[in-house]
Amino acid sequence: MGRERRKHPVIICRCNDVTLEDVERAISEGYSDLESIRKILRIGMGPCQGRTCIPILLRILARKLGKRIDELEVPVTRAPVIPIPIRLLTSGKSEGD
């Protein structure tokens, strides 16, 4: 069951269609931290915000670098942006007014 038998690519990030091959290529090109791989491949930047693909990417990176997952630097999670009505920005009033 090697690569030669694989007919379909292994998808790591469904939102941005990133494959295992893409991730392994990035690592072989010298990208060795989660944040740089995320930026070049856009992993975790789709609608799911990395809920599925970031843990997978961490496992791949740990395996390839010969480290434990807790030894890898994980980027800071940012709070989701909450949309506000444009009228709140133009009227000078707060939402409760």
Side-chain angles (χ1 to χ4, degrees):
M1 283 199 212
R3 291 179 188 260
E4 61 278 355
R5 292 191 57 189
R6 195 178 290 157
K7 293 181 182 180
H8 301 287
V10 175
I11 303 294
I12 303 301
C13 177
R14 292 177 289 181
C15 297
N16 290 313
D17 199 28
V18 178
T19 66
L20 176 59
E21 184 179 340
D22 296 329
V23 171
E24 289 176 338
R25 186 179 321 111
I27 294 169
S28 71
E29 290 174 357
Y31 296 96
S32 60
D33 64 280
L34 183 82
E35 192 61 29
S36 62
I37 294 173
R38 272 178 22 93
K39 287 179 182 177
I40 64 160
L41 296 178
R42 300 198 43 78
I43 289 179
M45 297 182 190
C48 85
Q49 294 295 292
R51 281 186 215 61
T52 303
C53 55
I54 294 299
I56 295 170
L57 178 57
L58 282 169
R59 287 194 302 269
I60 294 167
L61 199 53
R63 179 174 42 88
K64 289 287 192 179
L65 299 176
K67 295 183 176 185
R68 293 186 329 262
I69 291 175
D70 62 357
E71 294 177 298
L72 300 175
E73 187 175 326
V74 180
V76 176
T77 304
R78 293 169 186 88
V81 175
I82 300 170
I84 61 169
I86 193 72
R87 64 181 162 73
L88 294 179
L89 298 174
T90 59
S91 70
K93 296 180 181 180
S94 66
E95 194 168 357
D97 293 346

